[in-house]
Amino acid sequence: MAANTQNNNKAKKTGGKEAQPLIIAKSPAEEQRLKLERLMRNPDKPAPIPDRPKEWNPRAPPEFVRDVMGSSAGAGSGEFHVYRHLRRREYQRQDFLDKMSEKLNADQRYLDKVEQNKMAAEDRTAKRRKKRDKLKQKKLMAKKAKMESKDRKEGEPDSSSDSNEGEDDDDEEEREDDAEAPSFIMGR
């Protein structure tokens, strides 16, 4: 046991790094924990962030084909394999282009659907806003009618005593109505 400790001490370098015991992760969670611990030992050191893997692209088709061959009779025994590889590569390229066009179409359909949903939501909002405004206006008109009927009941005894005061009451009612009514109702 003591000899093992001496060997470990000799193996240490004096470069400033401490030898860490080898810990084998038994689960993915433990592996992640170990990685985080290693990163947190030196928080000033920037953490490596891997780049996003590039999407696979097929090789572009050749612009000029020098020796055109086929799988027909008369070709050499090695030519068929070359033809087969070219054909496989072209099929892969066409499949890739088909998948890309389908992906673009799906993205466009999604964006159209989002725009359509947004328009529908705006229409519903406008319809509800119109309904709320109509209800507010109805309440305002009911309140206004109630105030007028109340003013008339109060004004009846006064009108019998003096006719000039009745005319003044009408002018005051018009001013009150103008003050109470919002500008969008009065058309200002």
Side-chain angles (χ1 to χ4, degrees), residues 2 29 47 63 104 122 133 136 146-148 156-158 185:
E63 294 198 17
L104 289 175
E122 287 176 9
D133 290 344
K136 283 181 187 177
K146 187 177 178 182
M147 292 295 286
E148 285 179 4
E156 286 178 2
D158 291 341
I185 295 175

Side-chain angles (χ1 to χ4, degrees), residues 123-134:
D123 289 344
R124 286 192 306 268
T125 303
K127 186 176 177 182
R128 290 175 181 163
R129 184 183 305 118
K130 186 177 177 184
K131 194 173 182 179
R132 283 193 307 268
D133 290 344
K134 195 174 181 182

Side-chain angles (χ1 to χ4, degrees), residues 42-115:
N42 188 2
D44 297 335
K45 181 179 176 184
I49 300 174
D51 292 334
R52 188 175 181 172
K54 293 182 180 175
E55 193 172 308
W56 178 82
N57 275 338
R59 192 164 44 175
E63 294 198 17
F64 183 76
V65 180
R66 295 187 193 287
D67 47 355
V68 179
M69 71 199 80
S71 63
S72 61
S77 61
E79 299 298 317
F80 171 71
H81 301 293
V82 174
Y83 166 76
R84 187 182 63 183
H85 291 305
L86 289 173
R87 185 183 64 183
R88 180 183 52 79
R89 194 176 299 133
E90 180 62 20
Y91 285 159
Q92 273 186 338
R93 190 181 73 80
Q94 288 178 355
D95 286 344
F96 175 77
L97 292 175
D98 289 343
K99 286 178 184 175
M100 287 302 292
S101 67
E102 182 60 36
K103 184 179 177 184
L104 289 175
N105 288 340
D107 289 345
Q108 187 60 40
R109 283 194 306 265
Y110 172 74
L111 292 175
D112 290 343
K113 185 74 171 176
V114 166
E115 187 65 28

Side-chain angles (χ1 to χ4, degrees), residues 8-9 11-22 38 41-42:
N8 284 342
N9 290 338
K12 286 185 182 178
K13 293 184 180 178
T14 58
K17 288 188 177 181
E18 297 178 13
Q20 297 293 328
L22 179 65
R38 189 177 331 125
R41 280 186 206 133
N42 188 2

